[in-house]
Amino acid sequence: MKSGDLAIGIFFLSQTALGILGNLALLCCFLMSTFSVNRVRPTDVIVKHLTWANIVVLLCKGIPKTMVAFDQTYSLDIISCKLLFYFHRVARGVSIGCTSLLSVFQAITISPHTSKWAQLKVRLHRIIGPSLGLCWAFYLFLNIVIIEGVTNMRNKGNLTEFRDFLYCLIIKLPKQTSIVLAILLVASDVMCLGLMIWASGSMVLILFKHKQRVQHIHRSLSSKSFPETKATQSILILVSSFVVLYVTSATLTMYFPFQDGGGTWVANANVAMSASFPAVCPFLLIRHYTSNFHPYST
């Protein structure tokens, strides 16, 4: 085994293990909060779905890449390949959707009672469930085509155009199908990113106005002293991290086809970046749940 392969294997193993442990720890905090006297906040449900989606992303990408790095002959059967890529794409989409929903609903949560979102804030707990269900249904349906385009390494000799992941193969889809799928995926990602940016801007503006109000009332009342403000700041950091990592991953994805010989280092870097958010996400949120099981205000 080459030293480079060993280093890559150790990196993916560490990233996957730490990410899964962090997400499981966050789920344990939710489990503990179930038996506490604190009231469940609507946004807690979104964080739970986000956490499960992150775990699936790490399992579907981190483990196969680790196995490949330690053993170049490692491969999966055709059913495992199809399910692995399908659930990874679904979980990735749900992770984007949940992050978008979390930022939007938190912006609504902290909005003043005199704002145009006041009526929506009252119905927030009834909107979140259907929104999450729609998010899962959309990505489950959208990525069905992935099942048809994935096969295992044993079929490599029978194919002429494919993308080699060393444990599975992605078959080149018909041109029209590829275009439609690309448009739908890009459109959904852009919409989610747009919502995140809009919600983040709204939260920053709300926090700024809130800080101005409390400062002239009493100097000791810093806006950072409010639990909802701390939660909002945490979500702003979460969204900012997501946007940076997503843009980097998308750039590497577009750069990949122009690399001669498959661009192994680009593929590894892309996987590392795409798995970074699911691995980092729980550590950006867990400190609020360890000190206060319900940091989000309604």
Side-chain angles (χ1 to χ4, degrees):
M1 179 186 298
K2 298 179 181 179
S3 59
D5 294 333
L6 178 61
I8 292 171
I10 293 173
F11 174 82
F12 282 126
L13 179 61
S14 301
Q15 184 186 52
T16 303
L18 288 174
I20 291 176
L21 287 175
N23 282 284
L24 289 177
L26 186 57
L27 288 176
C28 287
C29 289
F30 281 115
L31 182 62
M32 293 173 64
S33 68
T34 303
F35 301 100
S36 69
V37 296
N38 294 317
R39 184 165 55 92
V40 175
R41 310 299 180 184
T43 47
D44 288 353
V45 181
I46 302 177
V47 178
K48 290 177 185 178
H49 283 257
L50 174 62
T51 303
W52 281 115
N54 288 339
I55 290 174
V56 175
V57 171
L58 290 167
L59 289 173
C60 292
K61 270 298 181 183
I63 292 179
K65 290 298 294 185
T66 301
M67 297 294 292
V68 166
F70 284 122
D71 181 13
Q72 293 295 329
T73 61
Y74 176 74
S75 63
L76 297 170
D77 60 77
I78 189 169
I79 300 297
S80 298
C81 281
K82 290 180 182 294
L83 293 178
L84 193 70
F85 276 79
Y86 176 68
F87 284 118
H88 169 259
R89 292 297 307 183
V90 171
R92 176 192 172 278
V94 171
S95 180
I96 296 174
C98 285
T99 306
S100 176
L101 287 175
L102 184 61
S103 60
V104 170
F105 283 122
Q106 186 63 19
I108 296 173
T109 295
I110 67 171
S111 61
H113 293 285
T114 56
S115 70
K116 59 183 178 181
W117 303 109
Q119 293 184 348
L120 188 60
K121 185 189 297 190
V122 176
R123 300 196 300 268
L124 198 63
H125 65 284
R126 291 186 301 222
I127 301 174
I128 288 179
S131 299
L132 288 169
L134 183 63
C135 179
W136 278 99
F138 175 75
Y139 286 106
L140 283 168
F141 176 78
L142 179 62
N143 290 286
I144 288 178
V145 68
I146 295 295
I147 296 177
E148 183 65 26
V150 178
T151 187
N152 62 344
M153 298 296 293
R154 295 189 185 94
N155 293 323
K156 188 173 182 178
N158 301 325
L159 302 171
T160 55
E161 295 184 336
F162 58 86
R163 187 171 170 182
D164 192 348
F165 286 85
L166 301 180
Y167 55 93
C168 293
L169 301 173
I170 293 288
I171 306 170
K172 186 176 181 179
L173 296 171
K175 186 176 181 179
Q176 291 183 340
T177 304
S178 300
I179 293 173
V180 172
L181 181 61
I183 291 174
L184 290 174
L185 290 173
V186 171
S188 62
D189 286 358
V190 169
M191 182 183 68
C192 289
L193 287 172
L195 287 173
M196 287 183 210
I197 294 171
W198 168 81
S200 298
S202 299
M203 286 189 281
V204 169
L205 183 61
I206 292 170
L207 290 179
F208 177 75
K209 290 181 178 179
H210 176 67
K211 186 174 182 179
Q212 285 185 321
R213 285 197 300 269
V214 300
Q215 277 182 341
H216 82 270
I217 293 174
H218 201 292
R219 290 292 178 183
S220 63
L221 287 177
S222 172
S223 64
K224 292 184 179 179
S225 64
F226 294 91
E228 66 270 21
T229 303
K230 293 180 179 180
T232 303
Q233 291 169 345
S234 177
I235 292 174
L236 285 172
I237 295 172
L238 185 75
V239 171
S240 300
S241 302
F242 176 86
V243 172
V244 171
L245 293 171
Y246 175 85
V247 171
T248 304
S249 178
T251 302
L252 290 171
T253 299
M254 290 186 291
Y255 183 60
F256 181 87
F258 300 99
Q259 287 293 295
D260 295 331
T264 303
W265 73 270
V266 179
N268 288 331
N270 188 22
V271 173
M273 294 304 299
S274 63
S276 291
F277 177 76
V280 171
C281 177
F283 298 103
L284 297 176
L285 296 173
I286 199 170
R287 64 190 182 92
H288 295 290
Y289 287 92
T290 53
S291 59
N292 180 3
F293 288 132
H294 298 294
Y296 306 119
S297 172
T298 52

PDB file of all heavy atoms in Angstrom, residues 146-158:
ATOM      1  N   ILE A 146     -30.866   7.721 -10.432  1.00  0.00           N
ATOM      2  CA  ILE A 146     -29.518   7.305 -10.042  1.00  0.00           C
ATOM      3  C   ILE A 146     -29.414   5.786  -9.998  1.00  0.00           C
ATOM      4  O   ILE A 146     -28.373   5.195 -10.339  1.00  0.00           O
ATOM      5  CB  ILE A 146     -29.152   7.900  -8.664  1.00  0.00           C
ATOM      6  CG1 ILE A 146     -29.088   9.420  -8.746  1.00  0.00           C
ATOM      7  CG2 ILE A 146     -27.829   7.342  -8.146  1.00  0.00           C
ATOM      8  CD1 ILE A 146     -27.984   9.957  -9.625  1.00  0.00           C
ATOM      9  N   ILE A 147     -30.503   5.129  -9.590  1.00  0.00           N
ATOM     10  CA  ILE A 147     -30.492   3.670  -9.461  1.00  0.00           C
ATOM     11  C   ILE A 147     -30.158   3.001 -10.792  1.00  0.00           C
ATOM     12  O   ILE A 147     -29.389   2.042 -10.857  1.00  0.00           O
ATOM     13  CB  ILE A 147     -31.851   3.171  -8.924  1.00  0.00           C
ATOM     14  CG1 ILE A 147     -32.084   3.723  -7.507  1.00  0.00           C
ATOM     15  CG2 ILE A 147     -31.913   1.649  -8.920  1.00  0.00           C
ATOM     16  CD1 ILE A 147     -33.428   3.352  -6.917  1.00  0.00           C
ATOM     17  N   GLU A 148     -30.725   3.552 -11.854  1.00  0.00           N
ATOM     18  CA  GLU A 148     -30.509   2.967 -13.178  1.00  0.00           C
ATOM     19  C   GLU A 148     -29.077   3.196 -13.666  1.00  0.00           C
ATOM     20  O   GLU A 148     -28.536   2.378 -14.423  1.00  0.00           O
ATOM     21  CB  GLU A 148     -31.509   3.585 -14.174  1.00  0.00           C
ATOM     22  CG  GLU A 148     -31.444   3.002 -15.575  1.00  0.00           C
ATOM     23  CD  GLU A 148     -31.847   1.530 -15.625  1.00  0.00           C
ATOM     24  OE1 GLU A 148     -32.613   1.101 -14.739  1.00  0.00           O
ATOM     25  OE2 GLU A 148     -31.390   0.822 -16.551  1.00  0.00           O
ATOM     26  N   GLY A 149     -28.454   4.289 -13.243  1.00  0.00           N
ATOM     27  CA  GLY A 149     -27.145   4.646 -13.777  1.00  0.00           C
ATOM     28  C   GLY A 149     -25.961   4.145 -12.982  1.00  0.00           C
ATOM     29  O   GLY A 149     -24.822   4.525 -13.264  1.00  0.00           O
ATOM     30  N   VAL A 150     -26.191   3.277 -11.988  1.00  0.00           N
ATOM     31  CA  VAL A 150     -25.096   2.772 -11.147  1.00  0.00           C
ATOM     32  C   VAL A 150     -24.954   1.264 -11.323  1.00  0.00           C
ATOM     33  O   VAL A 150     -25.950   0.538 -11.396  1.00  0.00           O
ATOM     34  CB  VAL A 150     -25.352   3.101  -9.657  1.00  0.00           C
ATOM     35  CG1 VAL A 150     -24.236   2.538  -8.778  1.00  0.00           C
ATOM     36  CG2 VAL A 150     -25.453   4.600  -9.457  1.00  0.00           C
ATOM     37  N   THR A 151     -23.734   0.797 -11.398  1.00  0.00           N
ATOM     38  CA  THR A 151     -23.473  -0.634 -11.469  1.00  0.00           C
ATOM     39  C   THR A 151     -22.178  -0.935 -10.703  1.00  0.00           C
ATOM     40  O   THR A 151     -21.520  -0.024 -10.199  1.00  0.00           O
ATOM     41  CB  THR A 151     -23.366  -1.106 -12.935  1.00  0.00           C
ATOM     42  OG1 THR A 151     -23.264  -2.539 -12.963  1.00  0.00           O
ATOM     43  CG2 THR A 151     -22.143  -0.517 -13.609  1.00  0.00           C
ATOM     44  N   ASN A 152     -21.826  -2.220 -10.641  1.00  0.00           N
ATOM     45  CA  ASN A 152     -20.620  -2.591  -9.879  1.00  0.00           C
ATOM     46  C   ASN A 152     -19.415  -2.745 -10.806  1.00  0.00           C
ATOM     47  O   ASN A 152     -19.522  -2.663 -12.022  1.00  0.00           O
ATOM     48  CB  ASN A 152     -20.863  -3.872  -9.081  1.00  0.00           C
ATOM     49  CG  ASN A 152     -21.158  -5.059  -9.970  1.00  0.00           C
ATOM     50  OD1 ASN A 152     -21.463  -4.903 -11.144  1.00  0.00           O
ATOM     51  ND2 ASN A 152     -21.057  -6.257  -9.424  1.00  0.00           N
ATOM     52  N   MET A 153     -18.265  -3.008 -10.218  1.00  0.00           N
ATOM     53  CA  MET A 153     -17.001  -3.042 -10.958  1.00  0.00           C
ATOM     54  C   MET A 153     -16.914  -4.229 -11.918  1.00  0.00           C
ATOM     55  O   MET A 153     -16.144  -4.190 -12.878  1.00  0.00           O
ATOM     56  CB  MET A 153     -15.829  -3.094  -9.966  1.00  0.00           C
ATOM     57  CG  MET A 153     -15.728  -1.882  -9.051  1.00  0.00           C
ATOM     58  SD  MET A 153     -15.396  -0.344  -9.932  1.00  0.00           S
ATOM     59  CE  MET A 153     -13.727  -0.652 -10.521  1.00  0.00           C
ATOM     60  N   ARG A 154     -17.687  -5.276 -11.681  1.00  0.00           N
ATOM     61  CA  ARG A 154     -17.624  -6.460 -12.544  1.00  0.00           C
ATOM     62  C   ARG A 154     -18.106  -6.172 -13.954  1.00  0.00           C
ATOM     63  O   ARG A 154     -17.761  -6.890 -14.894  1.00  0.00           O
ATOM     64  CB  ARG A 154     -18.469  -7.596 -11.936  1.00  0.00           C
ATOM     65  CG  ARG A 154     -17.924  -8.113 -10.608  1.00  0.00           C
ATOM     66  CD  ARG A 154     -18.665  -9.361 -10.175  1.00  0.00           C
ATOM     67  NE  ARG A 154     -18.233  -9.807  -8.853  1.00  0.00           N
ATOM     68  CZ  ARG A 154     -18.830  -9.481  -7.711  1.00  0.00           C
ATOM     69  NH1 ARG A 154     -19.912  -8.694  -7.748  1.00  0.00           N
ATOM     70  NH2 ARG A 154     -18.378  -9.917  -6.557  1.00  0.00           N
ATOM     71  N   ASN A 155     -18.908  -5.124 -14.125  1.00  0.00           N
ATOM     72  CA  ASN A 155     -19.433  -4.771 -15.449  1.00  0.00           C
ATOM     73  C   ASN A 155     -18.562  -3.767 -16.186  1.00  0.00           C
ATOM     74  O   ASN A 155     -18.954  -3.249 -17.235  1.00  0.00           O
ATOM     75  CB  ASN A 155     -20.849  -4.199 -15.309  1.00  0.00           C
ATOM     76  CG  ASN A 155     -21.850  -5.246 -14.838  1.00  0.00           C
ATOM     77  OD1 ASN A 155     -21.768  -6.408 -15.218  1.00  0.00           O
ATOM     78  ND2 ASN A 155     -22.775  -4.834 -13.986  1.00  0.00           N
ATOM     79  N   LYS A 156     -17.385  -3.495 -15.658  1.00  0.00           N
ATOM     80  CA  LYS A 156     -16.513  -2.483 -16.232  1.00  0.00           C
ATOM     81  C   LYS A 156     -16.105  -2.825 -17.658  1.00  0.00           C
ATOM     82  O   LYS A 156     -16.031  -1.950 -18.529  1.00  0.00           O
ATOM     83  CB  LYS A 156     -15.263  -2.325 -15.361  1.00  0.00           C
ATOM     84  CG  LYS A 156     -14.370  -1.161 -15.747  1.00  0.00           C
ATOM     85  CD  LYS A 156     -13.248  -0.972 -14.736  1.00  0.00           C
ATOM     86  CE  LYS A 156     -12.383   0.227 -15.080  1.00  0.00           C
ATOM     87  NZ  LYS A 156     -11.311   0.448 -14.080  1.00  0.00           N
ATOM     88  N   GLY A 157     -15.863  -4.108 -17.944  1.00  0.00           N
ATOM     89  CA  GLY A 157     -15.431  -4.522 -19.271  1.00  0.00           C
ATOM     90  C   GLY A 157     -16.510  -4.408 -20.320  1.00  0.00           C
ATOM     91  O   GLY A 157     -16.224  -4.397 -21.519  1.00  0.00           O
ATOM     92  N   ASN A 158     -17.786  -4.322 -19.887  1.00  0.00           N
ATOM     93  CA  ASN A 158     -18.905  -4.246 -20.828  1.00  0.00           C
ATOM     94  C   ASN A 158     -19.331  -2.821 -21.135  1.00  0.00           C
ATOM     95  O   ASN A 158     -20.271  -2.605 -21.899  1.00  0.00           O
ATOM     96  CB  ASN A 158     -20.108  -5.016 -20.265  1.00  0.00           C
ATOM     97  CG  ASN A 158     -19.782  -6.473 -19.997  1.00  0.00           C
ATOM     98  OD1 ASN A 158     -19.011  -7.095 -20.731  1.00  0.00           O
ATOM     99  ND2 ASN A 158     -20.371  -7.028 -18.939  1.00  0.00           N
TER     100      ASN A 158
END
